């Protein structure tokens, strides 16, 4: 795989661009500046640009939120700053997807990460405050994504989760390219248990079969453990459309 065209191509041009729009850029800098994502960025596999929405805010105080019509509690992200920032981005390139992170979005999955990793340009708009003006969702967003059935203070951590899951799939992002294929969920199952040295720690032993050196037996054992673990911990994954 290392000599394949896609691998060589990655050295010469940016494969993917992710623009993230937020009112709290600091919250995203660190999670996207380490490990695999850092390597993918410095290796030009992905360009991640974090935009501070406040730069497009209204007036002297760079206002990006306002009171909700109808008197509900909580501040609402205004339409104009988001619209103007999106317009500026869209002048530069076309986007395959404009995502909005929200607890009422479609549940994020490995399948969705795989799909997004094949796109060229995506925008992630991080929700904040009580929510965003519905007209942004109706007219500007192409897809809403939730990372789980709980409410975060803002969509930034969700955007970091989505970006990380996508970027590690880009060709060349992982040192051992095949390892993304053996991740949990890639075949719809949880990954099998793994071990490293020492083979015996105070009597806690690594399963003999992993020391046998027989790749077929090891693979069969791993498949069996993978299935056992999934049946025990995530029976919902078996026989669902997560397996494709
Ligand atoms: N914003 C707040 N909670 C969220 C969630 N669970 N997923 C995505 N974005 C969010």
């Amino acid at each position: 795989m290392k000599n394949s065209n896609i691998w060589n191509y990655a050295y010469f041009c940016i494969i993917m661009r992710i623009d993230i729009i937020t009112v709290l850029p600091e919250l995203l800098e660190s999670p996207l500046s380490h490990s695999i994502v850092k390597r993918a960025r410095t290796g030009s596999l992905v360009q991640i640009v974090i935009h501070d929405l406040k730069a497009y805010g209204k007036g002297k105080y760079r206002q990006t939120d306002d009171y909700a019509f109808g008197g509900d509690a909580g501040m609402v992200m205004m339409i104009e700053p988001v619209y103007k920032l999106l317009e500026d981005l869209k002048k530069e390139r076309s986007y395959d997807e404009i995502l909005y992170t929200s607890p009422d979005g479609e549940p994020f999955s490995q399948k969705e990460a795989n799909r997004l990793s094949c796109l060229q340009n995506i925008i992630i708009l991080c929700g904040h405050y009580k929510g965003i003006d519905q007209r942004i969702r109706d007219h500007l967003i192409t897809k809403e994504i939730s990372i789980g059935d709980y409410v975060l203070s803002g969509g930034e951590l969700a955007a970091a989760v989505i970006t990380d899951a996508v970027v590690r799939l880009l060709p060349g992002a992982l040192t051992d390219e095949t390892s993304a294929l053996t991740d949990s969920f890639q075949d719809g199952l949880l990954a099998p248990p793994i071990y490293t040295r020492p083979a015996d720690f105070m009597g806690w032993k690594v399963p003999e079969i992993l020391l046998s050196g027989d790749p077929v037996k090891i693979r069969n054992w791993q498949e069996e453990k993978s299935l056992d673990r999934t049946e025990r911990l995530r029976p919902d994954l078996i026989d669902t459309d997560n397996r494709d």
Side-chain angles (χ1 to χ4, degrees):
M1 185 63 180
K2 278 199 171 146
N3 293 323
S4 72
N5 288 341
I6 195 147
W7 176 269
N8 293 332
Y9 179 70
Y11 281 108
F12 297 112
C13 70
I14 299 290
I15 287 188
M16 185 177 202
R17 178 172 164 124
I18 305 176
D19 290 275
I20 306 179
I21 302 175
T22 171
V23 287
L24 286 174
E26 308 80 18
L27 208 49
L28 280 157
E29 292 295 350
S30 176
L32 301 178
S33 302
H34 299 278
S35 180
I36 292 164
V37 179
K38 177 184 178 186
R39 213 174 41 237
R41 291 176 87 171
T42 52
S44 298
L45 304 178
V46 65
Q47 190 180 16
I48 299 174
V49 185
I50 300 169
H51 302 272
D52 187 350
L53 185 64
K54 290 192 287 306
Y56 286 75
K58 202 169 117 190
K60 187 168 150 203
Y61 297 104
R62 298 278 169 220
Q63 185 186 355
T64 56
D65 61 321
D66 211 335
Y67 294 101
F69 282 127
D72 278 347
M75 300 299 276
V76 178
M77 200 180 262
M78 296 156 73
I79 191 165
E80 289 106 317
V82 174
Y83 181 82
K84 284 187 197 150
L85 177 41
L86 288 178
E87 282 301 293
D88 277 357
L89 290 176
K90 288 194 260 184
K91 274 182 214 149
E92 299 296 322
R93 66 195 65 74
S94 63
Y95 285 91
D96 305 298
E97 206 72 271
I98 303 179
L99 308 173
Y100 170 57
T101 53
S102 161
D104 46 12
E106 185 180 301
F108 190 53
S109 62
Q110 188 62 52
K111 195 171 161 185
E112 178 64 0
N114 293 351
R115 186 187 76 83
L116 293 173
S117 75
C118 298
L119 303 181
Q120 182 84 51
N121 301 317
I122 63 175
I123 293 174
I124 308 177
L125 170 64
C126 303
H128 218 73
Y129 312 114
K130 188 73 187 164
I132 59 173
D133 190 305
Q134 183 61 36
R135 289 165 294 181
I136 301 174
R137 302 171 79 159
D138 291 345
H139 301 287
L140 301 170
I141 298 301
T142 60
K143 183 161 192 176
E144 306 191 351
I145 296 185
S146 163
I147 61 159
D149 290 342
Y150 40 80
V151 179
L152 302 167
S153 309
E156 285 74 15
L157 297 178
V161 165
I162 294 165
T163 304
D164 186 288
V166 168
V167 168
R168 66 194 301 286
L169 297 172
L170 298 177
L174 298 176
T175 36
D176 173 2
E177 283 183 273
T178 56
S179 71
L181 300 175
T182 57
D183 283 344
S184 279
F185 305 110
Q186 277 301 5
D187 57 2
L189 299 176
L190 302 182
I194 51 169
Y195 303 85
T196 186
R197 289 184 292 181
D200 185 339
F201 177 71
M202 300 192 314
W204 299 343
K205 294 195 174 117
V206 169
E208 279 296 327
I209 200 147
L210 295 178
L211 310 175
S212 70
D214 182 332
V216 177
K217 278 192 184 155
I218 291 174
R219 187 69 212 141
N220 289 341
W221 180 89
Q222 288 170 328
E223 278 171 14
E224 193 186 309
K225 292 289 168 196
S226 215
L227 196 57
D228 281 357
R229 209 179 224 190
T230 313
E231 277 169 352
R232 199 162 31 88
L233 302 173
R234 292 292 308 275
D236 56 299
L237 289 175
I238 299 182
D239 294 331
T240 70
D241 66 357
N242 285 324
R243 304 193 68 183
D244 58 3

